[in-house]
Amino acid sequence: MLLTCVVCGSMAQAPVYQFDNNLTPRWSSPENLNGVKGAGGKANNGAKGHPCDPIAPGASNTLLDIQGQGIIHRIWVTLADRSPEMLRLLKLEMYWDGASTPAVSVPLGDFFGVGLGRTAVFENALFASPEGRSFNCFIPMPFRKAARIVVTNESGKALSHFFFDVDYSLVKNWDEDNLYFHAYWRRDTATTPSRDFELLPGIQGKGRFLGVNVGVNANPAYGKLWWGEGEVKMFLDGDRALPTLVGTGTEDYIGTGWGQGFFAQRYTGCLVSSDSLRQWCFYRYHIPDPIFFTSSCRVTLQQIGGGQTSTVAALQEAGAPMIPITSDMDGKQLALYQQGKTVRLKTAGLSDTWTNFYRSDDVSATAYFYLDKPGAVLPALQSKAIRGYRL
């Protein structure tokens, strides 16, 4: 009996006690770039002569560049400078099958499962950082003709030590249902009230939405009011005004409730939760609940917060950007929102209960998905000025 990959549903492997004639193991590292057979550890007569590389400002380091058919199983990285600036301004790119544009083009730190250029000690189904000093990715990444992975230093600072392993297998048999791995990162430093943040802008093709990690810098204009009332919406296969899949709130989406503190589980978690810094980083990976699409996919997150009506009203009077939308009446939602109109809470005659409102925050996200196309299908990675703004 064969085991099927729980993520991509393909490239089945034999049980651990059986020989698998379909896979030939290779490791690409500084000691043997691309994993050339019988060529590892040449430097310094085999005595650990080349374990890492420096990356000068503006320079690139190639982690893998091979021709052939295979699947990447694991990527591991560690580096001497793990500052938010460096983690945001190292650009990680992945190219499949000779495509001229990258399927993955994201900040290195955000790619490995934590947002905001932060590190954390955690393990989940797709990523891990055992002691907060390294980065592991276990997402399967099949390729049919070629694979290339490149890291570029856009920080303006020299990076003295960059270590990596890319563990892959050459594959004899190809499954026509295999999809190409993609990752996309974007940031909006000041979201617009009533306009949902796009976790994944609209894409065309057949694929699977694998999940997302999100970083929030909460706007100090709202004091310590809760920011995470927004619902995740997934527009699938031609959905337009309304989505097929919709959640009930931000912390609900990652499986918790009534706020968001630190936790790390296999498929959901919140790796940064700081009331003092007003920062949160959280994730959800759709492995036990797969999200397949046949023609299109778009994923959004509403920008909604909430708080005691009197507090929200006072902030509205003070000029905080907001649009009230509902007031809670013993579990029933009193609708306050009309497009083009903004209710003034101070004069609305509401009970002093809980009121939700559209708000503006600094939000960034890395979306992971598989698609039937090897090259880029979304805009290029945003500028380093946007990536590094107020880290």
Side-chain angles (χ1 to χ4, degrees):
M1 179 179 179
L2 296 181
L3 297 178
T4 301
C5 170
V6 295
V7 175
C8 59
S10 59
M11 291 294 186
Q13 297 181 26
V16 294
Y17 53 82
Q18 289 184 358
F19 185 82
D20 191 337
N21 192 50
N22 190 44
L23 304 178
T24 301
R26 294 288 184 265
W27 292 359
S28 180
S29 75
E31 292 282 15
N32 186 11
L33 187 63
N34 296 326
V36 180
K37 180 172 174 55
K42 286 182 178 179
N44 196 33
N45 297 309
K48 194 174 182 177
H50 189 186
C52 63
D53 289 305
I55 309 180
S60 296
N61 191 17
T62 298
L63 315 190
L64 182 72
D65 190 358
I66 59 170
Q67 303 292 311
Q69 186 168 274
I71 180 169
I72 294 168
H73 306 289
R74 171 182 177 264
I75 302 172
W76 165 85
V77 165
T78 191
L79 55 158
D81 182 351
R82 296 180 295 279
S83 64
E85 179 186 16
M86 186 61 72
L87 294 179
R88 263 286 169 83
L89 298 182
L90 286 173
K91 179 173 65 175
L92 174 65
E93 295 182 306
M94 301 183 189
Y95 299 79
W96 311 126
D97 290 4
S100 60
T101 55
V104 174
S105 184
V106 296
L108 183 134
D110 293 74
F111 174 81
F112 282 97
V114 186
L116 304 180
R118 301 286 296 268
T119 60
V121 177
F122 75 99
E123 179 184 15
N124 59 43
L126 301 183
F127 301 99
S129 184
E131 298 180 80
R133 300 192 298 267
S134 63
F135 305 89
N136 291 271
C137 172
F138 305 105
I139 299 175
M141 305 176 190
F143 52 93
R144 191 165 194 172
K145 299 177 182 178
R148 181 161 65 98
I149 301 177
V150 179
V151 171
T152 302
N153 182 359
E154 297 184 336
S155 73
K157 299 190 301 181
L159 178 60
S160 61
H161 297 72
F162 186 86
F163 298 78
F164 68 90
D165 274 332
V166 179
D167 303 343
Y168 71 97
S169 293
L170 300 173
V171 175
K172 295 179 181 179
N173 302 318
W174 181 261
D175 189 329
E176 294 298 332
D177 288 328
N178 288 340
L179 299 168
Y180 295 96
F181 174 70
H182 291 246
Y184 178 75
W185 183 91
R186 69 180 298 266
R187 181 185 188 185
D188 188 341
T189 58
T191 59
T192 301
S194 82
R195 184 181 300 170
D196 296 352
F197 178 84
E198 288 189 315
L199 300 172
L200 178 64
I203 57 174
Q204 305 295 313
K206 181 175 70 175
R208 175 176 183 172
F209 178 65
L210 186 55
V212 64
N213 82 69
V214 183
V216 173
N217 287 306
N219 190 335
Y222 307 105
K224 297 216 169 180
L225 287 185
W226 172 235
W227 52 270
E229 289 293 325
E231 299 172 349
V232 170
K233 299 179 179 181
M234 299 191 188
F235 300 78
L236 305 176
D237 297 334
D239 288 344
R240 295 188 182 277
L242 298 175
T244 295
L245 307 181
V246 59
T248 60
T250 305
E251 80 273 38
D252 308 357
Y253 177 64
I254 63 170
T256 185
W258 308 102
Q260 212 166 289
F262 177 89
F263 72 102
Q265 297 182 349
R266 285 186 59 77
Y267 310 118
T268 62
C270 177
L271 301 179
V272 174
S273 175
S274 175
D275 282 324
S276 59
L277 294 176
R278 306 300 292 159
Q279 288 189 325
W280 285 263
C281 299
F282 50 97
Y283 63 88
R284 177 163 174 190
Y285 302 129
H286 295 276
I287 296 173
D289 57 332
I291 309 295
F292 292 105
F293 52 92
T294 58
S295 62
S296 63
C297 180
R298 176 173 171 258
V299 184
T300 67
L301 174 62
Q302 293 175 315
Q303 299 303 287
I304 297 176
Q308 200 73 18
T309 303
S310 57
T311 304
V312 177
L315 288 170
Q316 184 183 39
E317 293 298 310
M322 69 168 64
I323 303 174
I325 58 174
T326 57
S327 192
D328 189 284
M329 300 295 179
D330 295 323
K332 295 182 180 180
Q333 304 302 306
L334 174 65
L336 303 174
Y337 176 65
Q338 296 182 40
Q339 290 186 350
K341 296 182 179 180
T342 300
V343 170
R344 187 182 177 194
L345 295 174
K346 183 178 179 180
T347 59
L350 299 174
S351 300
D352 195 14
T353 178
W354 183 273
T355 292
N356 290 330
F357 59 94
Y358 283 119
R359 54 183 280 162
S360 173
D361 291 297
D362 178 353
V363 183
S364 55
T366 307
Y368 310 92
F369 60 101
Y370 287 99
L371 199 62
D372 57 357
K373 301 174 179 64
V377 293
L378 289 167
L381 179 62
Q382 290 169 295
S383 70
K384 61 182 183 180
I386 293 176
R387 280 144 53 198
Y389 177 73
R390 290 187 177 179
L391 279 175

